[in-house]
Structure formats: structure tokens, C-alpha cells
Amino acid sequence: MTRIRVVNQLIQQHSQGAYAMAVQMLRCKDDAQDVMQDACYALLRQARLPKDSSQFRMLLFKVVRNKVIDRVRAQKVRRSESWNEESVAANEQQNPETYWQQQQAQTSIKKALAALSLEHRDIILLKDWQGFSYAEIANILEIEAGTVMSRLHRARLALRQQMKLSEGES
Amino acid sequence: MTELCSSIEAKLSGYLDGELTQQESQRVHNHLQQCEQCNQLYRDLKSMQQDVAQLEKKTMSEEQLETLMTDKPAKTFEWAGWLLLIGGIAVIVGYLAYQFFTQDTTALWLKLTISAIYGGVAFLLLTVLRQRLIARKTDRYKGVDL
Ligand SMILES: [Zn+2]
């Protein structure tokens, strides 16, 4: 396979996940699409790209995340309000009971996540939503591998605190 | 909370994610069997992790995905397009105006009046265009359903 075909296949494989992350961070599908476009263009121009799938995915997330941050800085968009109420127009499922329970869990976790600092939210999402390993997270966030566990743990404790707070309210 | 508990607690996330050494993992495992407080925290972390994993992921359409691999950033093209268009128009308008003023035999007052009319129309068009562009920019977040 030619280089371009390999790269295209890798982009196809991993860009949906990166897009979801960008939408979550930017709160705008158009902006997220723009960022993806920029990121893929930047990647395609690089002379050396990892052919290994998970290496490529890590690099893609890193580039996308940096582009998102650049854009947010430029626009001064406030991101902390992301992930608030969402239209519950989602398709009906066979079991309304479980569906409703899931929706409720999703809403309260979303609210709690929205209340976290960007630093805490990002690391939780990279791990639990996108499934990166600690080593990969260290690479994406450009931090020491040794600090991932403690930062993630602090983030989760903060999330738990938020969940408890909102439970107390309702 | 005992000293042992706080040392275990710091490792709970690593334990949950399978990122501890076998020895550390065993130590946490043993403690969780005996300590209800740490066990409760562990269960909370685990259930939050499952909730986060289930959060919806927005996806791109097939066409959007396709453009990632073929298109250069749309912005660059848009800019280049506008630049060419405006540059072209400016040259033509300049040329016509020059011709009109130097070669036509019409009286000067008539030339100025005609120029004023054209200028007025152009100005109005630009104003409308500008308003449209602003409206489009502020509309950007309309379609978002986050
Ligand atoms: Zn304990």
C-alpha cells in the first residue's frame, strides 16, 4: 500500500473519536470539523507519520487537542459550560426502564464533568471515554508519565465530589 | 483514615485502570477485602468510570469524513477565493473609471454625477454584504445541540 493510502485509512479509523473530543471541547460541530480539517492537513504534510495504529491515534489526538486549544485561546470561548442539557430526542430503545436510567446517569455525569476544571475533565475523558493508557495520556498532554496517575486520581475525586453535590441538591 | 488507607487510596485509580505492578495490585486487592471505606470509594470510582465510558460521542457524516482526506483546510481556499474576487473587481473598476475620466468626452459635471451613482450602488451592495457576513458569523452556534 502507498503511504497516502495507509494514512487515509488511519485517519478514517481514528478521526471520529478525535472529532467527538473536539466537539466536546469546542461545543460547536462546525468548529470541530474545521479543527479536524486543519489537523489532518497538518498531519498529511508531515514527512514521518507512525504507521502503527495506536501511535497514529495518539498523535492525532495530540494535534487535534492542541489545535482546539489554539482556537479557544483565539476566540476566548468559555468551555466550562460544555455538556449541559442535551435534547432527549434520542431514539427509543426496547427497554424504556434501562434507557431512562442510562439517560439519568449520563445527565448527572455530564453536569459533574462540566463543573470540573479543564485539566481534570480532559484527563478523565482521555482515559475513561477515549480509552487511552497512562503512557499515551502522558504523551498527548505532554506531561511526565509519573504524574498521570496522581492527576487522574485527583480529577476523579473532584468528579465524585461534584456527583455528591448534585445528589444532595436533587 | 489510617496511614495505610491513604497510601492505598492514592493507588485506587491505578488499580482500577490496571496500571499497577502485580505486587502493588495485590496489595490494593487485599486491602479492599478488609476495608469498607476504601472499598466504597473504589466502587464509586468504578461506577463513574462506567458512566463516562457510556457518554455519547458525536460523529461526522460520511461526507465530512471524506473531506478530511481530500480537502485542504476550507478556510485557506475561502480566503484565496475572496482575495482573487476582490482583487479582480478592483482592477476592472479602476480601469473602467480611468477610461471613463480620461477618454470619454462627456462633461466633467456629468462624469462626477454618474460616478456618484455607481459609487452609491456599490456602497449599498457592500453594506448588505457586510451585514450578511456578520449574520452568518453570529449564526454559527445555532446548529449546535451539545
Ligand atoms: Zn482503607
Side-chain angles (χ1 to χ4, degrees):
Chain A
M1 261 202 290
T2 58
R3 174 186 178 270
I4 196 79
R5 278 186 64 189
V6 174
V7 175
N8 280 351
Q9 206 169 48
L10 288 169
I11 289 178
Q12 191 129 35
Q13 205 176 340
H14 299 304
S15 55
Q16 293 288 21
Y19 172 76
M21 190 83 187
V23 174
Q24 186 275 319
M25 290 176 87
L26 288 163
R27 286 178 293 145
C28 174
K29 287 177 173 177
D30 287 347
D31 283 358
Q33 177 71 19
D34 274 0
V35 161
M36 290 304 296
Q37 207 96 37
D38 276 1
C40 289
Y41 182 60
L43 282 177
L44 286 165
R45 267 186 313 182
Q46 282 189 14
R48 281 161 173 262
L49 283 175
K51 282 189 183 142
D52 174 67
S53 182
S54 61
Q55 291 279 328
F56 183 89
R57 178 166 179 254
M58 190 166 77
L59 180 65
L60 178 67
F61 269 74
K62 192 166 160 177
V63 173
V64 167
R65 192 175 169 279
N66 285 337
K67 294 225 177 269
V68 166
I69 289 171
D70 287 349
R71 184 170 281 247
V72 170
R73 285 213 183 108
Q75 294 181 337
K76 297 202 169 78
V77 173
R78 284 198 58 226
R79 289 183 290 181
S80 54
E81 292 149 25
S82 61
W83 251 344
N84 280 327
E85 297 302 314
E86 187 158 347
S87 58
V88 196
N91 38 355
E92 295 277 316
Q93 293 204 338
Q94 285 97 344
N95 189 341
E97 195 73 12
T98 22
Y99 176 74
W100 177 237
Q101 280 167 359
Q102 273 174 4
Q103 284 297 315
Q104 273 197 317
Q106 286 224 349
T107 311
S108 54
I109 199 91
K110 273 183 198 170
K111 274 189 187 153
L113 275 167
L116 291 187
S117 70
L118 175 67
E119 187 185 83
H120 282 165
R121 185 167 61 234
D122 263 11
I123 200 165
I124 289 176
L125 290 176
L126 285 172
K127 180 75 202 93
D128 295 337
W129 197 42
Q130 299 286 346
F132 283 106
S133 72
Y134 285 10
E136 289 170 325
I137 290 172
N139 185 298
I140 292 169
L141 298 180
E142 292 171 270
I143 57 177
E144 292 284 321
T147 61
V148 173
M149 183 156 78
S150 55
R151 189 190 285 191
L152 181 60
H153 190 61
R154 267 181 279 125
R156 281 174 175 158
L157 291 181
L159 184 62
R160 181 171 178 254
Q161 188 74 27
Q162 283 299 330
M163 297 284 279
K164 294 234 183 271
L165 278 177
S166 61
E167 265 170 38
E169 274 168 26
S170 59
Chain B
M1 208 183 241
T2 67
E3 213 165 293
L4 175 62
C5 281
S6 53
S7 90
I8 292 292
E9 194 240 83
K11 299 228 180 289
L12 276 183
S13 274
Y15 178 72
L16 185 66
D17 299 324
E19 297 262 2
L20 297 183
T21 65
Q22 207 180 345
Q23 205 180 359
E24 285 173 321
S25 180
Q26 191 62 46
R27 209 165 74 92
V28 174
H29 178 80
N30 290 342
H31 181 78
L32 290 180
Q33 305 281 303
Q34 300 150 14
C35 176
E36 178 47 35
Q37 203 183 355
C38 288
N39 202 301
Q40 180 60 51
L41 176 58
Y42 174 69
R43 287 198 307 265
D44 284 356
L45 294 182
K46 193 167 183 169
S47 107
M48 282 188 332
Q49 186 177 50
Q50 284 161 354
D51 288 346
V52 173
Q54 281 176 2
L55 285 174
E56 188 203 355
K57 291 188 176 116
K58 302 276 181 211
T59 54
M60 288 178 280
S61 66
E62 273 301 314
E63 294 102 62
Q64 282 179 307
L65 193 57
E66 204 61 40
T67 57
L68 289 188
M69 287 164 285
T70 49
D71 277 11
K72 295 190 172 186
K75 283 250 162 81
T76 320
F77 274 128
E78 212 178 294
W79 262 105
W82 278 110
L83 220 63
L84 285 174
L85 188 69
I86 291 168
I89 290 174
V91 169
I92 288 176
V93 167
Y95 176 71
L96 288 178
Y98 174 76
Q99 279 227 323
F100 180 61
F101 269 95
T102 56
Q103 275 154 30
D104 206 300
T105 51
T106 328
L108 184 63
W109 69 267
L110 194 56
K111 282 183 181 174
L112 288 177
T113 313
I114 292 172
S115 306
I117 292 170
Y118 276 114
V121 170
F123 190 73
L124 286 177
L125 271 176
L126 278 177
T127 315
V128 171
L129 195 70
R130 191 174 151 267
Q131 278 169 344
R132 278 288 162 86
L133 281 176
I134 291 171
R136 213 186 71 170
K137 273 224 164 128
T138 38
D139 249 13
R140 284 192 100 171
Y141 290 81
K142 216 174 165 186
V144 189
D145 52 340
L146 270 170

